[in-house]
Structures are given as C-alpha cells and as structure tokens.
C-alpha cells in the first residue's frame, strides 16, 4: 500500500507541535527557576508549603524533560513527513508523549497551587485535570488513528469509526462519573495514601515519553515505505491510550488530598447557678 491518501501535511503539523512543545518546556523551565530561587532566597518552607513542593518538583522536572523529548520527536517526524504512512504512525506515538508531558505540567502546576490556595480551589483544579483533560487528549490520538485508517484502506472502514466512537463515549462516561464523584462526601475515604503517588506519576510519565520517543526513532530507522505498521498495531496503540486516559482519571481521583477536618468546638458548660439565699426564719 502506498498510504498516500491523507490530506494532512505532516511536515507542517510536526513543526507546529515541535514549537508548541518547546514553548511549554520553556514555561516548565521558568517554573523550575522560580521554585529554586524561592528555596535559595529565603527560609525553607515549612508545613503545607514544604509538602506541596516536595510533591510538585519531581513531576515538574519530569514534565520539563518529557516536553523536551517530545519536541525532538516532532522534529524527527518533520524530517520524515514526506513518507505519509510512517509520519501518521509517528504522529500517533508522539501524540501520546505530548499528552502525557502536558498533563504532568498541568498536574505540577496544581500541586504548586495547593501550597497557597484553599483546599477547595486546589481540589477543583485536580478535578478538572483528572476528569476533563483525558477526553481531548485521547481525541488527538483517535484523530491520528482515523487518518491512518483512511490512508491504509483508502476509505475508512465502518468498524474503525464505530470503535473510535465507542471508546470516546466510554471515556466521556468515565469523566462524567468521576466529575460527579468528587462532590460526594461519602467517597472521601476512597483514596490512596502515601507520598509515593506523585513520584510514581512522575517516573511513569517520563518512562512513557521515553518509550514513545524511542518508538518514533525506531519507526524512522526500521519502518519501510508506504504503510509500515499493520492496522492492528495502530488500533492496539489507540486501545492502550484509552486505558491510559481512564487510568489517569482514576489515579488522580484516588490520590487526591483529603479534605481538611474542621475542628468542632467543644461544648461550653453552662455556668453554675448561684445557690439560693437561705429563707428568712418565720416570726
């Protein structure tokens, strides 16, 4: 198959994504400098601020490295954009890396805001990221898979369109249920405790980005002309992206910080009444 039936100019698309990734990496680097200058310029933060910084810095550094690697991956795609089939596959894989890096950057910003914002505002930011961001991120991946199906089959088969629509509807349902669950006080006890949660997100996200960049490089080096990847492999990447999007929603819900407990004032005992004066003796 020649795999040329795609209207997208992947050279231009990859160049734009490379610029966007580099711009976001610049924001992440600026945030790192702000945090470092804050730590070096004053007294060490204590209490809530210290805890928030301890959680946010690993995720912020992972987002910075991930965006730099993603920018390099899109530069590779731009140089390979004349081979439409390979470029579509590379665009899908790099889209996963871009989505993961962007999500980590937003997550790090939320963790930093938790040190200065009330719990309600910080919790709402995590709620928006965990339940609203996965759907457009997964839609980006589905768009690439749809384009590959158009180029692979000349006409997009009906089963592929139904599969994409079904996965999008399922993810929308997960997002709606998760968004509603945040407001249920009865689910406050459903959470994962421990300081390793954010470090796991940082390490796992950076590992995913690294694997994606390696896959892009291997596709350029080893992939043949035309459509080098079977359609089943591209669909498998989409299903993996769906599971990752659902996992992001569930993970951010389970690792949300507990609501602060407002102490109930102890009841103040009523003042003891003064004893009644003795009755006067009768005459």
């Amino acid at each position: 198959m020649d795999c040329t039936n795609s209207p997208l100019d992947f050279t231009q698309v990859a160049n734009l994504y490379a610029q966007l990734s580099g711009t976001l990496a610049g924001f992440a680097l600026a945030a790192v400098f702000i945090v470092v200058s804050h730590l070096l310029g004053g007294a060490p933060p204590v209490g809530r601020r210290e805890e928030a910084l301890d959680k946010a810095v690993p995720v912020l550094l992972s987002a910075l490295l991930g965006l730099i690697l993603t920018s390099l991956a899109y530069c590779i795609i731009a140089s390979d954009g004349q081979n439409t089939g390979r470029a579509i596959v590379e665009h899908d894989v790099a889209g996963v890396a871009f989505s993961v890096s962007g999500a980590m950057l937003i997550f790090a910003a939320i963790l930093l805001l938790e040190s200065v914002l009330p719990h309600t505002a910080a919790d709402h930011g995590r709620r928006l990221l965990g339940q609203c961001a996965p759907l457009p991120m997964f839609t980006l991946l589905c768009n690439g898979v749809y384009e590959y199906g158009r180029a692979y089959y000349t006409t997009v088969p009906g089963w592929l369109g139904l599969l994409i629509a079904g996965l999008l509807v399922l993810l929308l349902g997960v997002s709606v249920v998760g968004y509603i669950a945040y407001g249920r006080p009865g689910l406050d006890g459903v959470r994962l405790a421990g300081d390793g949660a954010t470090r796991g997100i940082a390490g796992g996200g950076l590992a995913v980005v690294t694997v994606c960049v390696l896959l892009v490089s291997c596709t350029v080096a080893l992939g043949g002309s035309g459509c080098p990847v079977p359609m089943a492999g591209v669909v498998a990447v989409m299903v993996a992206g769906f599971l990752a999007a659902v996992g992001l929603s569930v993970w951010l819900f389970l690792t949300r910080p507990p609501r602060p407990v407002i102490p109930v004032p102890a009841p103040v005992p009523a003042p003891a009444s003064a004893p009644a004066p003795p009755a006067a003796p009768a005459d």
Side-chain angles (χ1 to χ4, degrees):
M1 299 180 182
D2 58 1
C3 223
T4 58
N5 186 35
S6 177
L8 294 180
D9 184 357
F10 282 94
T11 301
Q12 182 178 4
V13 171
N15 282 324
L16 293 175
Y17 271 109
Q19 296 174 16
L20 179 58
S21 299
T23 302
L24 293 178
F27 284 122
L29 184 60
V32 171
F33 284 144
I34 291 174
V35 172
V36 172
S37 62
H38 172 73
L39 293 177
L40 296 179
V46 295
R48 181 184 175 192
R49 295 170 62 191
E50 182 181 20
E51 180 183 0
L53 287 174
D54 183 62
K55 291 180 179 179
V57 169
V59 183
L60 187 60
L61 292 176
S62 296
L64 172 62
L65 294 176
L67 288 167
I68 293 174
L69 292 176
T70 303
S71 181
L72 294 176
Y74 277 117
C75 291
I76 296 174
I77 298 172
S79 65
D80 197 40
Q82 299 302 320
N83 192 321
T84 306
R86 284 207 309 250
I88 297 176
V89 177
E90 295 157 8
H91 175 73
D92 293 344
V93 177
V96 175
F98 177 77
S99 299
V100 171
S101 300
M104 287 195 298
L105 179 60
I106 300 174
F107 184 47
I110 292 175
L111 291 175
L112 289 175
L113 291 176
E114 285 180 353
S115 63
V116 295
L117 291 182
H119 175 270
T120 303
D123 188 65
H124 187 65
R126 183 186 288 257
R127 183 181 189 177
L128 290 176
L129 173 63
Q131 310 307 321
C132 299
L135 185 60
M137 290 161 51
F138 180 64
T139 304
L140 173 66
L141 177 60
C142 290
N143 178 66
V145 174
Y146 188 85
E147 288 297 327
Y148 193 78
R150 175 186 296 178
Y152 194 90
Y153 291 108
T154 305
T155 301
V156 179
W159 64 265
L160 181 59
L162 290 176
L163 178 61
I164 292 175
L167 292 179
L168 288 174
V169 171
L170 285 176
L171 184 56
L172 176 61
V174 171
S175 299
V176 171
V177 171
Y179 194 88
I180 296 174
Y182 265 83
R184 301 291 180 179
L187 298 176
D188 285 344
V190 182
R191 68 180 73 253
L192 294 177
D195 295 335
T198 54
R199 292 185 178 89
I201 292 176
L206 187 58
V208 170
V209 174
T210 304
V211 170
C212 290
V213 175
L214 291 176
L215 288 176
V216 169
S217 302
C218 291
T219 304
V220 173
L222 304 177
S225 59
C227 294
V229 179
M231 193 64 207
V234 178
V235 172
V237 172
M238 181 178 66
V239 174
F242 169 77
L243 296 177
V246 173
L248 176 63
S249 296
V250 175
W251 185 256
L252 290 178
F253 177 76
L254 293 178
T255 58
R256 69 198 188 282
R259 300 176 188 270
V261 179
I262 302 176
V264 179
V268 179
S273 57
D283 293 336

